[in-house]
């Protein structure tokens, strides 16, 4: 976000009346704060609102209108200084008020249309001060460029028209006297808004909710309202606001948008700008696996996700029969049927994570596994070992009929073939097992050892 300084914010004028409407009273720039102004521009006119029959006998040539609202009454004056000291450069001014309507301003209560060359002056500055006694002067040789300042009251409103009939120059104004202006509100915080484009043309275009910046801009300030504009000139003049800021479609990428925070009582305002950025969608990481096959009465499988895995998608499984959590990919075997399943993870396009559409698949088999009831360890390769590798076993313990532990192994798969821990062959008999799974579950039962001699 770029905060626009109040000096530029309130008084930076453009070169044609079609760009900004400060050439007319109804769209006068509201002056707020006590800062002096510099580099102000007057080029062309809007509607001719000052006629020779009015005070000081002149009219608009290259004008700008300013609106003054007094906060604290007192004396009010100013010094208008052209940037160029060339005496050909001539600035005039008229003041209307207090509290008049632009459609019926009446006669100016203060004005000066003295021409520096015609009046044989050695300077081309003009304004109002506490020294002069006249309240109007001009045209041409009449006067010395200065008239008597005004005494103003709290909340008085005045319009000042500044005109440049001849010469080429911008100007500055320094306010004098004891009267003060209202301060503008202050935009506290706005942020750039970013989103990603859809997969369909036009690329680089998206819909934004500009009102996301309202709360941060307003903060705790009262009697203020925010409006949004697509160009600076309209933001300054409060013309052509964005009519639906909650659903604004950018026209360029990036695009600068302006927020105008105005005091609803005084009209004072502040401006800031922020960027709308539309980025291309990224390809999300969707690859995953499971330990497979798994037993229907075994440990519930969880998805093993690749590094950087996007958690914004959904899991699904086909055909029906697998109880899978669509968010996490966790499987509940107690609610599932044995079978072969294809598990799919899908990330949708243009979601808040700015991902392109992507999907990955994995084949999982759920078997109707059981714990063997017996082994025949005779070395023929058939049923020689107690095979529970389809379970996630933390440790296995084998006991004889007297409760004596004869075999123990951690991280067991299918190593026991009817021998003790020391490798001694156990006699044919019924033995009892205690299986502890990694999820904390324990299974107990019996297994028969039978050798054929």
């Amino acid at each position: 976000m770029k905060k626009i300084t109040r000096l530029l914010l309130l008084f930076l004028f453009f070169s044609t009346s079609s760009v900004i409407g400060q050439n007319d009273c109804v769209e006068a720039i509201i002056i707020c704060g006590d800062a002096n102004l510099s580099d102000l521009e007057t080029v062309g006119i809007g509607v001719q609102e000052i006629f020779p029959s009015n005070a000081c006998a002149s009219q608009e040539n290259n004008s700008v209108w300013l609106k003054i609202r007094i906060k604290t009454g007192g004396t009010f004056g100013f010094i208008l200084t052209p940037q160029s000291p060339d005496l050909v450069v001539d600035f005039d001014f008229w003041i209307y008020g207090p509290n008049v309507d632009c459609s019926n301003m009446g006669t100016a209560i203060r004005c000066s249309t003295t021409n520096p060359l015609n009046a044989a002056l050695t300077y081309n500055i003009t304004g109002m001060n506490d020294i002069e006694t006249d309240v109007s002067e001009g045209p041409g040789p009449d006067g010395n460029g200065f008239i008597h300042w005004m005494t103003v009251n709290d909340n008085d409103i005045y319009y000042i028209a500044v005109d440049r009939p001849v010469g080429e120059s911008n100007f500055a104004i320094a306010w004098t006297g004891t009267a003060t202006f209202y301060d503008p509100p202050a935009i506290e915080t706005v942020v750039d808004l970013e989103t990603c484009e859809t997969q369909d043309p036009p690329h680089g275009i998206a819909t934004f909710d500009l009102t996301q910046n309202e709360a941060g801009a307003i903060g705790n300030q009262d009697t203020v309202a925010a409006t949004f504009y697509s160009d600076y000139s309209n933001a300054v003049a409060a013309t052509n606001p964005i009519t639906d800021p909650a659903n604004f479609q950018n026209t360029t990428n990036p695009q600068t948008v302006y927020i105008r925070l105005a005091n609803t009582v005084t009209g004072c305002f502040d401006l800031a700008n922020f960027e709308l950025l539309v980025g291309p969608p990224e390809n999300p990481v969707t690859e995953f696996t499971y330990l497979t096959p798994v037993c229907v009465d075994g440990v519930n499988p969880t998805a093993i996700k690749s590094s950087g895995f996007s958690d914004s998608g959904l899991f699904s499984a086909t055909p029906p029969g697998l109880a899978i959590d669509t968010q996490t990919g966790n499987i509940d075997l107690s609610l599932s049927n044995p079978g072969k399943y294809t598990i799919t993870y899908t990330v949708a396009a243009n979601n808040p994570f700015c991902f392109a559409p992507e999907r990955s698949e994995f084949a999982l088999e759920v078997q109707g596994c059981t714990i063997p009831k017996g082994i025949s360890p005779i070395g023929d390769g058939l049923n020689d070992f107690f095979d529970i590798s389809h379970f996630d076993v933390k440790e296995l313990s084998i006991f004889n009929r007297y409760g004596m532990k004869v075999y123990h192994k951690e991280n067991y798969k299918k190593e026991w073939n009817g021998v003790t821990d020391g490798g001694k062959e156990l006699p044919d008999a019924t033995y009892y097992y205690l299986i502890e799974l990694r999820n904390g579950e324990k299974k107990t039962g019996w297994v028969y050892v039978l050798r054929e001699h």
Side-chain angles (χ1 to χ4, degrees), residues 305 309-316 324-330 345:
K305 302 171 183 177
F309 187 83
S310 166
D311 290 322
S312 62
L314 295 174
F315 286 91
S316 61
I324 186 169
D325 188 304
T326 59
Q327 298 291 332
T328 65
N330 294 341
Y345 184 70

Side-chain angles (χ1 to χ4, degrees), residues 29-292:
I29 298 300
I30 299 171
I31 304 301
C32 298
D34 297 326
N36 296 329
L37 317 178
S38 62
D39 199 26
L40 308 189
E41 188 174 55
T42 57
V43 177
I45 66 171
V47 176
Q48 182 63 254
E49 298 174 271
I50 302 174
F51 299 95
S53 58
N54 206 309
C56 297
S58 189
Q59 62 184 15
E60 294 178 84
N61 301 276
N62 298 282
S63 63
V64 64
W65 286 76
L66 309 178
K67 183 178 181 179
I68 305 291
R69 181 168 185 157
I70 303 299
K71 179 181 180 181
T72 305
T75 54
F76 172 65
F78 60 82
I79 299 174
L80 189 157
T81 304
Q83 282 186 341
S84 171
D86 189 340
L87 296 182
V88 173
V89 176
D90 177 20
F91 278 95
D92 300 334
F93 67 87
W94 294 261
I95 300 179
Y96 296 88
N99 310 315
V100 296
D101 189 271
C102 286
S103 63
N104 186 25
M105 293 183 293
T107 301
I109 59 174
R110 294 286 193 280
C111 61
S112 171
T113 58
T114 300
N115 180 275
L117 287 177
N118 292 344
L121 302 178
T122 59
Y123 54 84
N124 61 356
I125 61 175
T126 185
M128 302 192 300
N129 60 31
D130 62 338
I131 298 174
E132 305 303 323
T133 58
D134 54 336
V135 297
S136 65
E137 62 178 13
D142 179 42
N144 64 357
F146 283 86
I147 57 177
H148 189 63
W149 65 10
M150 301 191 304
T151 299
V152 295
N153 299 316
D154 295 359
N155 291 309
D156 276 352
I157 297 175
Y158 295 90
Y159 293 94
I160 303 175
V162 177
D163 187 70
R164 177 176 50 82
V166 292
E168 297 289 340
S169 178
N170 292 349
F171 69 96
I173 287 184
W175 308 109
T176 60
T178 60
T180 63
F181 304 145
Y182 281 94
D183 290 326
I187 292 178
E188 296 191 5
T189 302
V190 298
V191 297
D192 294 338
L193 302 181
E194 299 183 40
T195 189
C196 56
E197 66 184 16
T198 64
Q199 295 301 294
D200 301 321
H203 295 299
I205 302 299
T207 300
F208 292 86
D209 181 2
L210 307 183
T211 64
Q212 294 177 74
N213 268 323
E214 276 192 15
I218 294 173
N220 296 320
Q221 299 173 92
D222 297 323
T223 63
V224 293
T227 47
F228 297 88
Y229 301 83
S230 57
D231 64 75
Y232 175 78
S233 58
N234 280 320
V236 173
T239 55
N240 301 313
I242 295 172
T243 56
D244 187 8
N247 296 282
F248 177 74
Q249 188 175 84
N250 64 302
T251 55
T252 62
N253 185 35
Q255 180 171 351
T256 302
V257 173
Y258 299 85
I259 180 171
R260 186 183 203 268
L261 191 65
N263 186 296
T264 55
V265 176
T266 67
C268 293
F269 67 94
D270 194 9
L271 283 186
N273 67 298
F274 56 94
E275 298 297 310
L276 305 182
L277 305 168
V278 182
E282 300 177 4
N283 292 319
V285 177
T286 57
E287 291 78 16
F288 65 98
T289 61
Y290 290 87
L291 294 176
T292 186

Side-chain angles (χ1 to χ4, degrees), residues 344-385:
T344 303
Y345 184 70
T346 304
V347 174
N350 202 32
N351 59 27
F353 298 94
C354 206
F355 285 142
E358 190 64 77
R359 59 185 290 167
S360 293
E361 295 181 347
F362 186 79
L364 176 72
E365 183 177 358
V366 178
Q367 300 175 342
C369 307
T370 58
I371 298 175
K373 293 299 185 181
I375 60 173
S376 54
I378 60 176
D380 62 355
L382 299 174
N383 204 29
D384 287 328
F385 295 91

